[in-house]
Amino acid sequence: MVDGWFLLDAMDGIHEEQLMLTKEFLDLSDYAHQKRRSPRKVWVTALIAAILALLLAACGYAVYRATMAHRELTLADEKVYFFDGDEDTLNEGLHIDLNFGTCAMALHFDTEETGCLYGFRITDGASLDPAWLCREATLKELFESYEPGGFRPEAQQRPLEQCLREAGMTEAEAEEWYSALIYSGDPAAERPALRIDVLDGPRLHGVDLILGWPEGKATVVKEEAQGDVQILETLIEVPTNTGEPQKTLFLFRFDTKRQVLLSVAGADELLDFPALEAIAEHIELRETGFVYSLDHSGQNWSIFGLAFG
């Protein structure tokens, strides 16, 4: 078996002076395994690790990191958004160029086209109103959409059993992990109280999320990074017939390494950003082994908001 210690012994001829110069250049700290090997051999291991890291990066094995960016939309924007009607539909042959200039904000992600499906669940301790009604979009329902004969591309269609096997999940587990959860305090309400979504790389690739449709204003409340995660909190105001704007709070957490977006959106009259942050701390993400891609060649935008649909 070729492991780190095998490589260490194989490279045992490196001179002490070279090791110490490398140690100083890399500003390496001490290792817990010094008692197992001599200090000299510890630095051999460090040098090997540094060389391997450079080689892997040069060969394309470095981890790809995506980014999340946002911009205000204006009528002066070029028409960068488009819609093309699908074949064999009433919209076949239709092409529309748009700029969404009256909307509030656009979010853009440079994720990869093919990636793993993610799901989430709420862990114990989340401060959710027990009286709220919940609509669930489970991973099982998503996998069922890939059944042969469905609307998914034929090359990606497979039976539920195969989807579960690729995902590394049982059917029961797939019913307990979600792509979206929608909470409402009133069945007759026009919009939810809270909506939680997880959008992974394939869903975000080549698509901008449009906030504040059809007309709105955005106020960025917080924008920061915590390790691999970009965090954006924004207040979106949309005018209504009553004269008072409808306000929605959006908390976005984008993991640049895993290429997955967690969105927690809440009604301003019921929640605030500290409440959304507390809920987000009790959301567990799960990367499945289900690999897929989506074709966004016919539409490079998606209206995103606090809605039941």
PDB file of all heavy atoms in Angstrom, residues 99-137:
ATOM      1  N   ASN A  99     -34.276  42.579 -19.881  1.00  0.00           N
ATOM      2  CA  ASN A  99     -33.252  43.063 -18.952  1.00  0.00           C
ATOM      3  C   ASN A  99     -33.756  43.129 -17.515  1.00  0.00           C
ATOM      4  O   ASN A  99     -32.983  43.353 -16.598  1.00  0.00           O
ATOM      5  CB  ASN A  99     -32.727  44.438 -19.384  1.00  0.00           C
ATOM      6  CG  ASN A  99     -33.705  45.574 -19.091  1.00  0.00           C
ATOM      7  OD1 ASN A  99     -34.865  45.353 -18.744  1.00  0.00           O
ATOM      8  ND2 ASN A  99     -33.245  46.804 -19.241  1.00  0.00           N
ATOM      9  N   PHE A 100     -35.055  42.909 -17.282  1.00  0.00           N
ATOM     10  CA  PHE A 100     -35.642  42.949 -15.941  1.00  0.00           C
ATOM     11  C   PHE A 100     -35.258  44.224 -15.201  1.00  0.00           C
ATOM     12  O   PHE A 100     -34.995  44.214 -13.994  1.00  0.00           O
ATOM     13  CB  PHE A 100     -35.231  41.719 -15.125  1.00  0.00           C
ATOM     14  CG  PHE A 100     -35.855  40.437 -15.606  1.00  0.00           C
ATOM     15  CD1 PHE A 100     -35.094  39.469 -16.234  1.00  0.00           C
ATOM     16  CD2 PHE A 100     -37.208  40.212 -15.453  1.00  0.00           C
ATOM     17  CE1 PHE A 100     -35.668  38.290 -16.689  1.00  0.00           C
ATOM     18  CE2 PHE A 100     -37.795  39.037 -15.909  1.00  0.00           C
ATOM     19  CZ  PHE A 100     -37.023  38.069 -16.530  1.00  0.00           C
ATOM     20  N   GLY A 101     -35.208  45.325 -15.931  1.00  0.00           N
ATOM     21  CA  GLY A 101     -34.712  46.577 -15.376  1.00  0.00           C
ATOM     22  C   GLY A 101     -35.510  47.146 -14.228  1.00  0.00           C
ATOM     23  O   GLY A 101     -34.985  47.947 -13.450  1.00  0.00           O
ATOM     24  N   THR A 102     -36.787  46.760 -14.095  1.00  0.00           N
ATOM     25  CA  THR A 102     -37.593  47.279 -12.987  1.00  0.00           C
ATOM     26  C   THR A 102     -37.500  46.401 -11.743  1.00  0.00           C
ATOM     27  O   THR A 102     -38.025  46.777 -10.688  1.00  0.00           O
ATOM     28  CB  THR A 102     -39.068  47.397 -13.405  1.00  0.00           C
ATOM     29  OG1 THR A 102     -39.560  46.099 -13.785  1.00  0.00           O
ATOM     30  CG2 THR A 102     -39.219  48.356 -14.570  1.00  0.00           C
ATOM     31  N   CYS A 103     -36.871  45.244 -11.868  1.00  0.00           N
ATOM     32  CA  CYS A 103     -36.757  44.340 -10.721  1.00  0.00           C
ATOM     33  C   CYS A 103     -35.650  44.825  -9.776  1.00  0.00           C
ATOM     34  O   CYS A 103     -34.909  45.753 -10.084  1.00  0.00           O
ATOM     35  CB  CYS A 103     -36.480  42.920 -11.196  1.00  0.00           C
ATOM     36  SG  CYS A 103     -37.814  42.236 -12.224  1.00  0.00           S
ATOM     37  N   ALA A 104     -35.554  44.181  -8.616  1.00  0.00           N
ATOM     38  CA  ALA A 104     -34.694  44.710  -7.560  1.00  0.00           C
ATOM     39  C   ALA A 104     -33.236  44.281  -7.677  1.00  0.00           C
ATOM     40  O   ALA A 104     -32.330  45.098  -7.549  1.00  0.00           O
ATOM     41  CB  ALA A 104     -35.241  44.289  -6.199  1.00  0.00           C
ATOM     42  N   MET A 105     -32.986  43.006  -7.929  1.00  0.00           N
ATOM     43  CA  MET A 105     -31.628  42.493  -7.833  1.00  0.00           C
ATOM     44  C   MET A 105     -31.492  41.206  -8.629  1.00  0.00           C
ATOM     45  O   MET A 105     -32.464  40.453  -8.792  1.00  0.00           O
ATOM     46  CB  MET A 105     -31.262  42.237  -6.363  1.00  0.00           C
ATOM     47  CG  MET A 105     -29.905  41.605  -6.120  1.00  0.00           C
ATOM     48  SD  MET A 105     -29.577  41.269  -4.362  1.00  0.00           S
ATOM     49  CE  MET A 105     -29.173  42.918  -3.764  1.00  0.00           C
ATOM     50  N   ALA A 106     -30.280  40.956  -9.136  1.00  0.00           N
ATOM     51  CA  ALA A 106     -29.953  39.696  -9.791  1.00  0.00           C
ATOM     52  C   ALA A 106     -28.797  39.039  -9.047  1.00  0.00           C
ATOM     53  O   ALA A 106     -27.816  39.701  -8.708  1.00  0.00           O
ATOM     54  CB  ALA A 106     -29.588  39.914 -11.255  1.00  0.00           C
ATOM     55  N   LEU A 107     -28.907  37.751  -8.806  1.00  0.00           N
ATOM     56  CA  LEU A 107     -27.819  36.964  -8.220  1.00  0.00           C
ATOM     57  C   LEU A 107     -27.237  36.076  -9.309  1.00  0.00           C
ATOM     58  O   LEU A 107     -27.980  35.411 -10.042  1.00  0.00           O
ATOM     59  CB  LEU A 107     -28.330  36.089  -7.072  1.00  0.00           C
ATOM     60  CG  LEU A 107     -28.926  36.773  -5.850  1.00  0.00           C
ATOM     61  CD1 LEU A 107     -29.297  35.727  -4.805  1.00  0.00           C
ATOM     62  CD2 LEU A 107     -27.948  37.779  -5.266  1.00  0.00           C
ATOM     63  N   HIS A 108     -25.913  36.051  -9.394  1.00  0.00           N
ATOM     64  CA  HIS A 108     -25.244  35.246 -10.413  1.00  0.00           C
ATOM     65  C   HIS A 108     -24.251  34.296  -9.742  1.00  0.00           C
ATOM     66  O   HIS A 108     -23.542  34.672  -8.804  1.00  0.00           O
ATOM     67  CB  HIS A 108     -24.496  36.152 -11.405  1.00  0.00           C
ATOM     68  CG  HIS A 108     -23.718  35.381 -12.427  1.00  0.00           C
ATOM     69  ND1 HIS A 108     -24.313  34.775 -13.511  1.00  0.00           N
ATOM     70  CD2 HIS A 108     -22.384  35.115 -12.527  1.00  0.00           C
ATOM     71  CE1 HIS A 108     -23.390  34.163 -14.224  1.00  0.00           C
ATOM     72  NE2 HIS A 108     -22.215  34.348 -13.655  1.00  0.00           N
ATOM     73  N   PHE A 109     -24.166  33.069 -10.262  1.00  0.00           N
ATOM     74  CA  PHE A 109     -23.292  32.037  -9.721  1.00  0.00           C
ATOM     75  C   PHE A 109     -22.522  31.391 -10.866  1.00  0.00           C
ATOM     76  O   PHE A 109     -23.111  31.025 -11.886  1.00  0.00           O
ATOM     77  CB  PHE A 109     -24.102  30.965  -8.989  1.00  0.00           C
ATOM     78  CG  PHE A 109     -25.020  31.510  -7.926  1.00  0.00           C
ATOM     79  CD1 PHE A 109     -26.274  31.998  -8.270  1.00  0.00           C
ATOM     80  CD2 PHE A 109     -24.628  31.554  -6.599  1.00  0.00           C
ATOM     81  CE1 PHE A 109     -27.126  32.517  -7.301  1.00  0.00           C
ATOM     82  CE2 PHE A 109     -25.464  32.070  -5.630  1.00  0.00           C
ATOM     83  CZ  PHE A 109     -26.719  32.553  -5.983  1.00  0.00           C
ATOM     84  N   ASP A 110     -21.213  31.223 -10.701  1.00  0.00           N
ATOM     85  CA  ASP A 110     -20.420  30.585 -11.750  1.00  0.00           C
ATOM     86  C   ASP A 110     -20.131  29.126 -11.395  1.00  0.00           C
ATOM     87  O   ASP A 110     -18.986  28.685 -11.334  1.00  0.00           O
ATOM     88  CB  ASP A 110     -19.131  31.363 -12.016  1.00  0.00           C
ATOM     89  CG  ASP A 110     -18.256  31.504 -10.777  1.00  0.00           C
ATOM     90  OD1 ASP A 110     -18.710  31.125  -9.677  1.00  0.00           O
ATOM     91  OD2 ASP A 110     -17.118  31.985 -10.904  1.00  0.00           O
ATOM     92  N   THR A 111     -21.181  28.368 -11.165  1.00  0.00           N
ATOM     93  CA  THR A 111     -21.049  26.962 -10.806  1.00  0.00           C
ATOM     94  C   THR A 111     -20.814  26.109 -12.042  1.00  0.00           C
ATOM     95  O   THR A 111     -21.000  26.550 -13.175  1.00  0.00           O
ATOM     96  CB  THR A 111     -22.314  26.471 -10.078  1.00  0.00           C
ATOM     97  OG1 THR A 111     -23.441  26.645 -10.951  1.00  0.00           O
ATOM     98  CG2 THR A 111     -22.548  27.246  -8.808  1.00  0.00           C
ATOM     99  N   GLU A 112     -20.440  24.851 -11.807  1.00  0.00           N
ATOM    100  CA  GLU A 112     -20.225  23.913 -12.897  1.00  0.00           C
ATOM    101  C   GLU A 112     -21.550  23.303 -13.344  1.00  0.00           C
ATOM    102  O   GLU A 112     -22.500  23.191 -12.579  1.00  0.00           O
ATOM    103  CB  GLU A 112     -19.244  22.823 -12.461  1.00  0.00           C
ATOM    104  CG  GLU A 112     -17.858  23.366 -12.147  1.00  0.00           C
ATOM    105  CD  GLU A 112     -16.931  22.313 -11.580  1.00  0.00           C
ATOM    106  OE1 GLU A 112     -17.190  21.839 -10.467  1.00  0.00           O
ATOM    107  OE2 GLU A 112     -15.946  21.974 -12.257  1.00  0.00           O
ATOM    108  N   GLU A 113     -21.592  22.894 -14.615  1.00  0.00           N
ATOM    109  CA  GLU A 113     -22.843  22.414 -15.211  1.00  0.00           C
ATOM    110  C   GLU A 113     -23.298  21.085 -14.624  1.00  0.00           C
ATOM    111  O   GLU A 113     -24.484  20.832 -14.470  1.00  0.00           O
ATOM    112  CB  GLU A 113     -22.674  22.294 -16.728  1.00  0.00           C
ATOM    113  CG  GLU A 113     -23.929  21.873 -17.450  1.00  0.00           C
ATOM    114  CD  GLU A 113     -23.739  21.849 -18.958  1.00  0.00           C
ATOM    115  OE1 GLU A 113     -22.602  22.089 -19.416  1.00  0.00           O
ATOM    116  OE2 GLU A 113     -24.723  21.586 -19.678  1.00  0.00           O
ATOM    117  N   THR A 114     -22.349  20.217 -14.317  1.00  0.00           N
ATOM    118  CA  THR A 114     -22.654  18.889 -13.777  1.00  0.00           C
ATOM    119  C   THR A 114     -22.174  18.819 -12.331  1.00  0.00           C
ATOM    120  O   THR A 114     -21.074  19.270 -12.010  1.00  0.00           O
ATOM    121  CB  THR A 114     -21.972  17.798 -14.614  1.00  0.00           C
ATOM    122  OG1 THR A 114     -22.440  17.885 -15.961  1.00  0.00           O
ATOM    123  CG2 THR A 114     -22.292  16.411 -14.061  1.00  0.00           C
ATOM    124  N   GLY A 115     -23.004  18.257 -11.475  1.00  0.00           N
ATOM    125  CA  GLY A 115     -22.631  18.166 -10.067  1.00  0.00           C
ATOM    126  C   GLY A 115     -23.542  17.235  -9.307  1.00  0.00           C
ATOM    127  O   GLY A 115     -24.451  16.610  -9.867  1.00  0.00           O
ATOM    128  N   CYS A 116     -23.303  17.148  -8.015  1.00  0.00           N
ATOM    129  CA  CYS A 116     -24.067  16.268  -7.139  1.00  0.00           C
ATOM    130  C   CYS A 116     -25.321  16.975  -6.613  1.00  0.00           C
ATOM    131  O   CYS A 116     -25.302  18.185  -6.366  1.00  0.00           O
ATOM    132  CB  CYS A 116     -23.210  15.810  -5.965  1.00  0.00           C
ATOM    133  SG  CYS A 116     -21.846  14.740  -6.445  1.00  0.00           S
ATOM    134  N   LEU A 117     -26.363  16.210  -6.440  1.00  0.00           N
ATOM    135  CA  LEU A 117     -27.597  16.717  -5.872  1.00  0.00           C
ATOM    136  C   LEU A 117     -27.444  16.880  -4.360  1.00  0.00           C
ATOM    137  O   LEU A 117     -26.883  16.012  -3.685  1.00  0.00           O
ATOM    138  CB  LEU A 117     -28.742  15.744  -6.168  1.00  0.00           C
ATOM    139  CG  LEU A 117     -30.103  16.086  -5.569  1.00  0.00           C
ATOM    140  CD1 LEU A 117     -30.733  17.246  -6.338  1.00  0.00           C
ATOM    141  CD2 LEU A 117     -31.023  14.882  -5.598  1.00  0.00           C
ATOM    142  N   TYR A 118     -27.950  17.994  -3.832  1.00  0.00           N
ATOM    143  CA  TYR A 118     -27.931  18.251  -2.394  1.00  0.00           C
ATOM    144  C   TYR A 118     -29.346  18.272  -1.846  1.00  0.00           C
ATOM    145  O   TYR A 118     -30.308  18.658  -2.527  1.00  0.00           O
ATOM    146  CB  TYR A 118     -27.275  19.604  -2.093  1.00  0.00           C
ATOM    147  CG  TYR A 118     -25.776  19.551  -1.986  1.00  0.00           C
ATOM    148  CD1 TYR A 118     -24.985  19.573  -3.130  1.00  0.00           C
ATOM    149  CD2 TYR A 118     -25.141  19.466  -0.750  1.00  0.00           C
ATOM    150  CE1 TYR A 118     -23.606  19.528  -3.045  1.00  0.00           C
ATOM    151  CE2 TYR A 118     -23.761  19.428  -0.657  1.00  0.00           C
ATOM    152  CZ  TYR A 118     -22.999  19.454  -1.802  1.00  0.00           C
ATOM    153  OH  TYR A 118     -21.625  19.405  -1.708  1.00  0.00           O
ATOM    154  N   GLY A 119     -29.467  17.870  -0.594  1.00  0.00           N
ATOM    155  CA  GLY A 119     -30.710  18.001   0.137  1.00  0.00           C
ATOM    156  C   GLY A 119     -30.427  18.596   1.504  1.00  0.00           C
ATOM    157  O   GLY A 119     -29.272  18.828   1.867  1.00  0.00           O
ATOM    158  N   PHE A 120     -31.486  18.859   2.262  1.00  0.00           N
ATOM    159  CA  PHE A 120     -31.299  19.403   3.605  1.00  0.00           C
ATOM    160  C   PHE A 120     -32.402  18.899   4.525  1.00  0.00           C
ATOM    161  O   PHE A 120     -33.424  18.359   4.085  1.00  0.00           O
ATOM    162  CB  PHE A 120     -31.309  20.946   3.567  1.00  0.00           C
ATOM    163  CG  PHE A 120     -32.686  21.549   3.375  1.00  0.00           C
ATOM    164  CD1 PHE A 120     -33.459  21.943   4.460  1.00  0.00           C
ATOM    165  CD2 PHE A 120     -33.206  21.728   2.108  1.00  0.00           C
ATOM    166  CE1 PHE A 120     -34.722  22.487   4.284  1.00  0.00           C
ATOM    167  CE2 PHE A 120     -34.464  22.285   1.910  1.00  0.00           C
ATOM    168  CZ  PHE A 120     -35.224  22.662   3.006  1.00  0.00           C
ATOM    169  N   ARG A 121     -32.178  19.101   5.802  1.00  0.00           N
ATOM    170  CA  ARG A 121     -33.203  18.833   6.807  1.00  0.00           C
ATOM    171  C   ARG A 121     -32.993  19.774   7.980  1.00  0.00           C
ATOM    172  O   ARG A 121     -31.914  20.356   8.146  1.00  0.00           O
ATOM    173  CB  ARG A 121     -33.172  17.381   7.271  1.00  0.00           C
ATOM    174  CG  ARG A 121     -31.920  16.973   8.041  1.00  0.00           C
ATOM    175  CD  ARG A 121     -31.966  15.498   8.397  1.00  0.00           C
ATOM    176  NE  ARG A 121     -30.752  15.061   9.083  1.00  0.00           N
ATOM    177  CZ  ARG A 121     -30.499  13.781   9.399  1.00  0.00           C
ATOM    178  NH1 ARG A 121     -31.366  12.833   9.073  1.00  0.00           N
ATOM    179  NH2 ARG A 121     -29.386  13.468  10.022  1.00  0.00           N
ATOM    180  N   ILE A 122     -34.038  19.935   8.778  1.00  0.00           N
ATOM    181  CA  ILE A 122     -33.989  20.806   9.950  1.00  0.00           C
ATOM    182  C   ILE A 122     -33.590  19.971  11.161  1.00  0.00           C
ATOM    183  O   ILE A 122     -34.183  18.920  11.429  1.00  0.00           O
ATOM    184  CB  ILE A 122     -35.348  21.473  10.209  1.00  0.00           C
ATOM    185  CG1 ILE A 122     -35.878  22.147   8.934  1.00  0.00           C
ATOM    186  CG2 ILE A 122     -35.246  22.477  11.342  1.00  0.00           C
ATOM    187  CD1 ILE A 122     -35.064  23.307   8.463  1.00  0.00           C
ATOM    188  N   THR A 123     -32.593  20.410  11.885  1.00  0.00           N
ATOM    189  CA  THR A 123     -32.163  19.697  13.085  1.00  0.00           C
ATOM    190  C   THR A 123     -32.931  20.191  14.303  1.00  0.00           C
ATOM    191  O   THR A 123     -33.605  21.227  14.258  1.00  0.00           O
ATOM    192  CB  THR A 123     -30.659  19.870  13.315  1.00  0.00           C
ATOM    193  OG1 THR A 123     -30.369  21.277  13.503  1.00  0.00           O
ATOM    194  CG2 THR A 123     -29.869  19.366  12.114  1.00  0.00           C
ATOM    195  N   ASP A 124     -32.837  19.444  15.386  1.00  0.00           N
ATOM    196  CA  ASP A 124     -33.550  19.801  16.616  1.00  0.00           C
ATOM    197  C   ASP A 124     -33.093  21.161  17.140  1.00  0.00           C
ATOM    198  O   ASP A 124     -31.924  21.521  17.038  1.00  0.00           O
ATOM    199  CB  ASP A 124     -33.299  18.732  17.693  1.00  0.00           C
ATOM    200  CG  ASP A 124     -33.915  17.384  17.324  1.00  0.00           C
ATOM    201  OD1 ASP A 124     -34.833  17.373  16.493  1.00  0.00           O
ATOM    202  OD2 ASP A 124     -33.454  16.362  17.860  1.00  0.00           O
ATOM    203  N   GLY A 125     -34.036  21.895  17.681  1.00  0.00           N
ATOM    204  CA  GLY A 125     -33.714  23.176  18.291  1.00  0.00           C
ATOM    205  C   GLY A 125     -34.056  24.375  17.448  1.00  0.00           C
ATOM    206  O   GLY A 125     -33.925  25.517  17.908  1.00  0.00           O
ATOM    207  N   ALA A 126     -34.491  24.164  16.206  1.00  0.00           N
ATOM    208  CA  ALA A 126     -34.844  25.286  15.336  1.00  0.00           C
ATOM    209  C   ALA A 126     -36.097  25.976  15.867  1.00  0.00           C
ATOM    210  O   ALA A 126     -37.067  25.319  16.242  1.00  0.00           O
ATOM    211  CB  ALA A 126     -35.071  24.807  13.913  1.00  0.00           C
ATOM    212  N   SER A 127     -36.058  27.300  15.878  1.00  0.00           N
ATOM    213  CA  SER A 127     -37.180  28.073  16.427  1.00  0.00           C
ATOM    214  C   SER A 127     -38.233  28.309  15.353  1.00  0.00           C
ATOM    215  O   SER A 127     -38.354  29.390  14.784  1.00  0.00           O
ATOM    216  CB  SER A 127     -36.683  29.411  16.975  1.00  0.00           C
ATOM    217  OG  SER A 127     -35.948  30.104  15.972  1.00  0.00           O
ATOM    218  N   LEU A 128     -39.001  27.255  15.060  1.00  0.00           N
ATOM    219  CA  LEU A 128     -40.094  27.333  14.095  1.00  0.00           C
ATOM    220  C   LEU A 128     -41.419  27.291  14.836  1.00  0.00           C
ATOM    221  O   LEU A 128     -41.582  26.518  15.795  1.00  0.00           O
ATOM    222  CB  LEU A 128     -40.014  26.169  13.102  1.00  0.00           C
ATOM    223  CG  LEU A 128     -38.746  26.107  12.247  1.00  0.00           C
ATOM    224  CD1 LEU A 128     -38.703  24.816  11.460  1.00  0.00           C
ATOM    225  CD2 LEU A 128     -38.679  27.307  11.313  1.00  0.00           C
ATOM    226  N   ASP A 129     -42.361  28.105  14.415  1.00  0.00           N
ATOM    227  CA  ASP A 129     -43.672  28.152  15.051  1.00  0.00           C
ATOM    228  C   ASP A 129     -44.371  26.815  14.837  1.00  0.00           C
ATOM    229  O   ASP A 129     -44.618  26.411  13.693  1.00  0.00           O
ATOM    230  CB  ASP A 129     -44.493  29.288  14.438  1.00  0.00           C
ATOM    231  CG  ASP A 129     -45.771  29.570  15.227  1.00  0.00           C
ATOM    232  OD1 ASP A 129     -46.319  28.627  15.846  1.00  0.00           O
ATOM    233  OD2 ASP A 129     -46.221  30.733  15.230  1.00  0.00           O
ATOM    234  N   PRO A 130     -44.696  26.085  15.905  1.00  0.00           N
ATOM    235  CA  PRO A 130     -45.346  24.771  15.742  1.00  0.00           C
ATOM    236  C   PRO A 130     -46.724  24.856  15.105  1.00  0.00           C
ATOM    237  O   PRO A 130     -47.251  23.844  14.622  1.00  0.00           O
ATOM    238  CB  PRO A 130     -45.430  24.242  17.189  1.00  0.00           C
ATOM    239  CG  PRO A 130     -45.352  25.452  18.051  1.00  0.00           C
ATOM    240  CD  PRO A 130     -44.481  26.426  17.335  1.00  0.00           C
ATOM    241  N   ALA A 131     -47.315  26.039  15.086  1.00  0.00           N
ATOM    242  CA  ALA A 131     -48.635  26.203  14.481  1.00  0.00           C
ATOM    243  C   ALA A 131     -48.558  26.370  12.966  1.00  0.00           C
ATOM    244  O   ALA A 131     -49.581  26.283  12.271  1.00  0.00           O
ATOM    245  CB  ALA A 131     -49.353  27.410  15.099  1.00  0.00           C
ATOM    246  N   TRP A 132     -47.356  26.604  12.448  1.00  0.00           N
ATOM    247  CA  TRP A 132     -47.216  26.784  11.005  1.00  0.00           C
ATOM    248  C   TRP A 132     -47.491  25.479  10.265  1.00  0.00           C
ATOM    249  O   TRP A 132     -47.109  24.394  10.696  1.00  0.00           O
ATOM    250  CB  TRP A 132     -45.809  27.255  10.664  1.00  0.00           C
ATOM    251  CG  TRP A 132     -45.581  28.714  10.935  1.00  0.00           C
ATOM    252  CD1 TRP A 132     -46.516  29.656  11.234  1.00  0.00           C
ATOM    253  CD2 TRP A 132     -44.318  29.380  10.933  1.00  0.00           C
ATOM    254  NE1 TRP A 132     -45.926  30.880  11.410  1.00  0.00           N
ATOM    255  CE2 TRP A 132     -44.582  30.752  11.232  1.00  0.00           C
ATOM    256  CE3 TRP A 132     -43.009  28.990  10.701  1.00  0.00           C
ATOM    257  CZ2 TRP A 132     -43.571  31.697  11.311  1.00  0.00           C
ATOM    258  CZ3 TRP A 132     -42.002  29.935  10.777  1.00  0.00           C
ATOM    259  CH2 TRP A 132     -42.284  31.280  11.073  1.00  0.00           C
ATOM    260  N   LEU A 133     -48.149  25.592   9.124  1.00  0.00           N
ATOM    261  CA  LEU A 133     -48.351  24.461   8.230  1.00  0.00           C
ATOM    262  C   LEU A 133     -47.132  24.357   7.322  1.00  0.00           C
ATOM    263  O   LEU A 133     -46.524  25.360   6.957  1.00  0.00           O
ATOM    264  CB  LEU A 133     -49.620  24.654   7.398  1.00  0.00           C
ATOM    265  CG  LEU A 133     -50.918  24.878   8.187  1.00  0.00           C
ATOM    266  CD1 LEU A 133     -52.059  25.204   7.235  1.00  0.00           C
ATOM    267  CD2 LEU A 133     -51.245  23.651   9.020  1.00  0.00           C
ATOM    268  N   CYS A 134     -46.770  23.134   6.952  1.00  0.00           N
ATOM    269  CA  CYS A 134     -45.551  22.937   6.176  1.00  0.00           C
ATOM    270  C   CYS A 134     -45.836  22.141   4.902  1.00  0.00           C
ATOM    271  O   CYS A 134     -46.509  21.109   4.939  1.00  0.00           O
ATOM    272  CB  CYS A 134     -44.500  22.204   7.012  1.00  0.00           C
ATOM    273  SG  CYS A 134     -42.933  21.960   6.146  1.00  0.00           S
ATOM    274  N   ARG A 135     -45.333  22.666   3.791  1.00  0.00           N
ATOM    275  CA  ARG A 135     -45.354  21.942   2.526  1.00  0.00           C
ATOM    276  C   ARG A 135     -43.936  21.471   2.245  1.00  0.00           C
ATOM    277  O   ARG A 135     -42.993  22.253   2.338  1.00  0.00           O
ATOM    278  CB  ARG A 135     -45.848  22.835   1.389  1.00  0.00           C
ATOM    279  CG  ARG A 135     -47.267  23.361   1.583  1.00  0.00           C
ATOM    280  CD  ARG A 135     -47.712  24.122   0.336  1.00  0.00           C
ATOM    281  NE  ARG A 135     -48.991  24.778   0.528  1.00  0.00           N
ATOM    282  CZ  ARG A 135     -49.644  25.459  -0.417  1.00  0.00           C
ATOM    283  NH1 ARG A 135     -49.085  25.568  -1.623  1.00  0.00           N
ATOM    284  NH2 ARG A 135     -50.797  26.038  -0.171  1.00  0.00           N
ATOM    285  N   GLU A 136     -43.811  20.209   1.870  1.00  0.00           N
ATOM    286  CA  GLU A 136     -42.492  19.610   1.709  1.00  0.00           C
ATOM    287  C   GLU A 136     -42.234  19.231   0.254  1.00  0.00           C
ATOM    288  O   GLU A 136     -43.124  18.731  -0.426  1.00  0.00           O
ATOM    289  CB  GLU A 136     -42.373  18.357   2.583  1.00  0.00           C
ATOM    290  CG  GLU A 136     -42.659  18.599   4.055  1.00  0.00           C
ATOM    291  CD  GLU A 136     -42.772  17.301   4.837  1.00  0.00           C
ATOM    292  OE1 GLU A 136     -42.916  16.240   4.168  1.00  0.00           O
ATOM    293  OE2 GLU A 136     -42.730  17.343   6.073  1.00  0.00           O
ATOM    294  N   ALA A 137     -41.036  19.479  -0.207  1.00  0.00           N
ATOM    295  CA  ALA A 137     -40.558  18.967  -1.491  1.00  0.00           C
ATOM    296  C   ALA A 137     -39.411  18.024  -1.169  1.00  0.00           C
ATOM    297  O   ALA A 137     -38.287  18.463  -0.878  1.00  0.00           O
ATOM    298  CB  ALA A 137     -40.102  20.101  -2.404  1.00  0.00           C
TER     299      ALA A 137
END
